[in-house]
């Protein structure tokens, strides 16, 4: 029996030739260049035991000047980023119906940012250790419990235009434990009840998170479920590096789900409500060491997601349709009042179609994406986030040609018709002589994007390829 497997992949991207052929509205001093790779090793220790090792490495760097209505020469922004990630996991079945899952991970992320004449270097090291034990008492009851430990170290060096240097740093260790019961009342009805506790050394705070879900098999191919959970997370690094007098942000989730799966067809509908509490607020334009911080923020989000996928009705054709509705408001960051954030789009929809043409050894694809306009603040009107940008529309196309079962030539173009989409608007800081704040439209850097790629899969199975992912 084969006990070992190893997979490796790597990628390299350099957009300089592309920018020379199809320049956009940015001034590129060094176009995006990135390199990345990952490796996965699996070793079967015994009949049920499996050891898995995973490692990934990536780098990216670029230097660009972007337009800005308040700075005639634009804003120059350069970034060099390096990320290293590793994890190891082991799972096995033990005696007397016990099982074990354990693992550890380590991540190192380094960023060197140049913003006009300022320089920022961020380094974050993070480790995660986890142990989970499960006991199968009988066919109707299973108990899971375990513990986790998170270690985070963050350091930032900031050098201003006048060469003054500032250092911001923090360390945080989180200890967590959890217990979870899986209860099978019948072949159709099951429940999951759990409790998670966490202690943050940085915030000097303990939190308890109850969670529960119930699922009912409503038919031979359908299921309905209802879930409730409380979730906590520490404030972002951009706040903790300046202030640690916080409580954990938290949210309560209530989710109802229906799913139907039969003969290569899937239908899924999910409604949810989320209540946000203790969100971080500050009183400056952006997070600064001198800002006043608090946990007085809050908000909510409610919505509906619908998904349909069909790989049966039309021969050699797969398509899926998705739609999401979102109603959300938040009072956080430097918001003067509760409002719908600028990142939130109320309506989103997409249609994707893939068709394989056997005679041409090709797969052709079409997709359409829609997003309703997002809010922005127009200083020429009263109120906050008082205006809405126009809707987003894009038709995309792609073609994959099988040179051989494991070699694919791929071509795609986004926004085929060159729709003039709008990401928002930027206004001048000061009004003109007519007491009007002038503005500029924030558009995508380019109306279309072309991609040509070659994918070569190397494996023992000579039929493996990346076609399903294209």
């Amino acid at each position: 029996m084969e006990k070992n497997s190893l997979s490796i992949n790597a990628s390299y991207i350099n957009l300089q030739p592309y920018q020379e052929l199809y320049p956009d509205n940015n001034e590129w001093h060094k176009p995006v260049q990135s390199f990345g790779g990952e490796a996965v090793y699996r070793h079967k220790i015994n009949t049920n035991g499996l050891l898995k090792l995973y490692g990934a490495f990536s780098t990216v760097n670029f230097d660009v000047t972007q337009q800005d209505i308040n700075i005639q020469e634009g804003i120059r922004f350069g970034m060099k980023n390096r990320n290293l990630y590793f994890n190891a996991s082991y799972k096995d079945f033990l005696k007397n119906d016990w099982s074990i899952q354990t693992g550890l991970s380590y991540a190192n992320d380094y960023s060197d940012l140049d913003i006009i004449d300022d320089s920022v270097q961020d380094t974050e090291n993070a480790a995660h250790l986890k142990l989970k034990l499960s006991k199968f008492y009988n066919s109707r009851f299973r108990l899971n419990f375990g513990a986790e430990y998170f270690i985070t170290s963050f350091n930032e060096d900031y050098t201003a235009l006048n060469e003054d240097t500032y250092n911001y740093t923090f360390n945080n260790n989180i200890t967590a434990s959890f217990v979870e019961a899986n209860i099978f009342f019948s072949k159709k009805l099951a429940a999951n009840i759990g409790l998670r506790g966490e202690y943050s050394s940085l915030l000097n705070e303990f939190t308890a998170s109850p969670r529960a879900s119930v699922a009912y098999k409503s038919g031979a191919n359908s299921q309905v479920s209802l879930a409730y959970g409380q979730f906590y997370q520490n404030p972002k690094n951009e706040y903790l590096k300046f202030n640690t007098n916080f409580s954990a942000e938290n949210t309560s989730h209530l989710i109802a789900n229906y799913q139907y799966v039969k003969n290569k067809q899937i239908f899924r509908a999910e409604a949810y409500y989320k209540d946000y509490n203790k969100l971080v607020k500050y009183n400056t334009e952006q997070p600064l060491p001198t800002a006043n911080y608090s946990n007085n923020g809050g908000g909510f989000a409610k919505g509906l997601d619908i998904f349909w996928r069909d790989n049966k009705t039309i021969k050699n054709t797969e398509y899926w349709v998705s739609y999401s509705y979102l109603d959300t408001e938040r009072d956080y960051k430097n918001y003067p009042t509760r409002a719908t954030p600028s990142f939130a789009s109320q309506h989103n929809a997409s249609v994707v179609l893939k068709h394989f043409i056997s005679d041409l050894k090709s797969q052709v694809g079409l997709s359409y994406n829609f997003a309703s306009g997002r809010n922005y603040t127009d200083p020429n009107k009263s109120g906050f986030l008082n205006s809405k940008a126009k809707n987003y529309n894009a038709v995309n196309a792609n073609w994959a040609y099988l040179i051989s079962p494991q070699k694919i030539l791929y071509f795609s173009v986004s926004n085929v018709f060159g729709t003039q989409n709008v990401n928002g608007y930027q206004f001048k800081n000061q009004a003109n002589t007519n007491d009007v704040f002038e503005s500029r439209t924030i558009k995508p850097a380019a109306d279309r994007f072309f991609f040509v790629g070659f994918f070569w899969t190397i494996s023992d199975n000579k039929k493996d390829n990346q076609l399903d992912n294209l």
Side-chain angles (χ1 to χ4, degrees):
M1 181 182 293
E2 183 63 48
K3 292 187 176 182
N4 300 282
S5 70
L6 176 65
S7 65
I8 300 174
N9 69 60
S11 66
Y12 174 74
I13 296 174
N14 189 330
L15 292 184
Q16 183 168 350
Y18 183 89
Q19 293 295 339
E20 292 176 354
L21 287 172
Y22 301 99
D24 57 33
N25 55 22
N26 293 318
E27 180 185 356
W28 290 95
H29 309 286
K30 184 173 185 179
V32 174
Q33 185 176 5
S34 68
F35 171 77
E38 61 180 2
V40 183
Y41 171 73
R42 296 178 177 88
H43 175 65
K44 199 168 186 179
I45 296 176
N46 50 45
T47 305
N48 299 305
L50 178 65
L51 174 66
K52 179 181 175 181
L53 304 177
Y54 173 83
F57 175 79
S58 65
T59 64
V60 61
N61 68 85
F62 62 85
D63 186 1
V64 62
T65 295
Q66 296 177 309
Q67 296 177 9
D68 189 282
I69 196 170
N70 295 298
I71 303 176
Q72 185 175 2
E73 62 272 21
I75 294 179
R76 186 163 181 172
F77 179 81
M79 183 181 78
K80 296 178 182 178
N81 175 266
R82 182 199 69 240
N83 183 272
L84 174 67
Y85 177 80
F86 170 80
N87 73 45
S89 63
Y90 171 74
K91 62 180 181 179
D92 199 356
F93 284 96
L94 308 176
K95 295 180 179 180
N96 300 320
D97 295 322
W98 283 88
S99 67
I100 183 174
Q101 296 182 43
T102 186
L104 59 88
S105 67
Y106 169 75
N108 171 265
D109 187 82
Y110 172 78
S111 294
D112 185 353
L113 309 177
D114 292 312
I115 307 169
I116 308 179
D117 295 309
D118 296 343
S119 176
V120 182
Q121 290 86 37
D122 287 349
T123 303
E124 181 176 358
N125 290 285
H128 176 205
L129 298 86
K130 182 175 181 178
L131 172 65
K132 176 182 176 181
L133 295 170
S134 299
K135 169 66 175 178
F136 294 82
Y137 287 92
N138 51 52
S139 61
R140 292 184 178 273
F141 186 78
R142 180 176 68 185
L143 185 67
N144 309 306
F145 60 93
E148 296 180 80
Y149 191 62
F150 300 85
I151 305 170
T152 301
S153 174
F154 177 86
N155 183 81
E156 178 175 286
D157 292 313
Y158 168 65
T159 304
L161 172 62
N162 59 7
E163 297 187 353
D164 286 347
T165 300
Y166 305 88
N167 178 258
Y168 307 103
T169 183
F170 69 84
N171 297 302
N172 186 29
N173 299 332
I174 297 177
T175 305
S177 60
F178 58 90
V179 60
E180 178 184 76
N182 304 130
I183 308 169
F184 302 90
F185 298 103
S186 68
K187 292 182 178 180
K188 291 187 175 182
L189 183 63
N192 186 307
I193 302 173
L195 179 66
R196 179 183 179 87
E198 291 185 353
Y199 174 75
S200 167
S201 63
L202 182 66
L203 305 184
N204 190 25
E205 179 183 42
F206 176 82
T207 59
S209 308
R211 298 167 189 179
S213 65
V214 59
Y216 176 72
K217 192 172 179 59
S218 55
N221 306 105
S222 61
Q223 175 180 290
V224 294
S225 63
L226 184 67
Y228 168 81
Q230 186 112 24
F231 300 86
Y232 289 84
Q233 69 174 22
N234 281 1
K236 296 179 180 179
N237 290 355
E238 62 181 305
Y239 309 140
L240 292 175
K241 67 184 181 183
F242 297 139
N243 189 304
T244 59
N245 187 26
F246 291 114
S247 294
E249 300 177 311
N250 70 81
T251 177
S252 298
H253 292 191
L254 183 62
I255 302 173
N257 178 281
Y258 172 80
Q259 182 168 286
Y260 175 89
V261 181
K262 184 181 180 181
N263 295 337
K264 299 182 180 181
Q265 293 178 319
I266 300 174
F267 173 77
R268 184 168 59 246
E270 185 171 278
Y272 59 87
Y273 180 84
K274 302 178 182 180
D275 183 36
Y276 300 99
N277 295 285
K278 294 191 175 181
L279 302 185
V280 171
K281 287 184 65 66
Y282 50 88
N283 64 343
T284 49
E285 186 70 22
Q286 58 188 354
L288 294 172
T290 56
N292 292 323
Y293 293 90
S294 73
N295 276 115
N296 295 332
F300 72 89
K302 56 184 177 180
L304 174 68
D305 295 329
I306 298 176
F307 177 80
W308 166 254
R309 188 165 189 157
D310 183 3
N311 195 17
K312 172 191 174 185
T313 305
I314 307 173
K315 184 179 179 181
N316 294 332
T317 301
E318 179 181 23
Y319 72 92
W320 59 90
V321 181
S322 63
Y323 167 77
S324 66
Y325 167 78
L326 172 63
D327 178 16
T328 181
E329 291 184 355
R330 296 190 188 186
D331 178 15
Y332 74 144
K333 296 184 175 180
N334 59 353
Y335 280 27
T337 185
R338 181 173 289 199
T340 300
S342 57
F343 65 79
S345 178
Q346 189 171 43
H347 302 280
N348 286 269
S350 68
V351 180
V352 179
L353 173 71
K354 293 183 179 182
H355 179 70
F356 189 79
I357 306 173
S358 302
D359 293 342
L360 300 179
K361 297 190 295 183
S362 299
Q363 175 181 278
V364 293
L366 285 172
S367 67
Y368 169 70
N369 296 322
F370 168 85
S372 58
R374 293 170 169 81
N375 289 349
Y376 67 94
T377 300
D378 183 348
N380 296 300
K381 301 178 181 179
S382 61
F384 175 67
L385 291 172
N386 52 18
S387 299
K388 191 180 295 289
K390 74 174 188 176
N391 298 334
Y392 174 92
N393 294 273
V395 174
N396 314 299
N398 59 75
W399 170 58
Y401 174 71
L402 274 70
I403 301 173
S404 70
Q406 292 188 304
K407 298 176 183 177
I408 299 175
L409 180 63
Y410 181 76
F411 172 79
S412 71
V413 55
S414 63
N415 196 18
V416 174
F417 300 113
T419 304
Q420 299 290 306
N421 288 305
V422 174
N423 294 336
Y425 298 88
Q426 183 191 23
F427 291 83
K428 282 208 168 186
N429 295 331
Q430 302 293 330
N432 60 21
T433 54
N434 296 319
D435 202 28
V436 174
F437 291 87
E438 298 176 8
S439 67
R440 75 174 183 93
T441 304
I442 302 174
K443 300 178 181 179
D447 292 327
R448 298 182 185 87
F449 186 82
F450 299 90
F451 177 82
V452 178
F454 174 70
F455 298 87
W456 185 3
T457 302
I458 302 174
S459 68
D460 291 334
N461 186 342
K462 301 305 179 182
K463 296 183 178 180
D464 281 348
N465 59 41
Q466 298 295 313
L467 191 62
D468 289 342
N469 300 320
L470 299 176

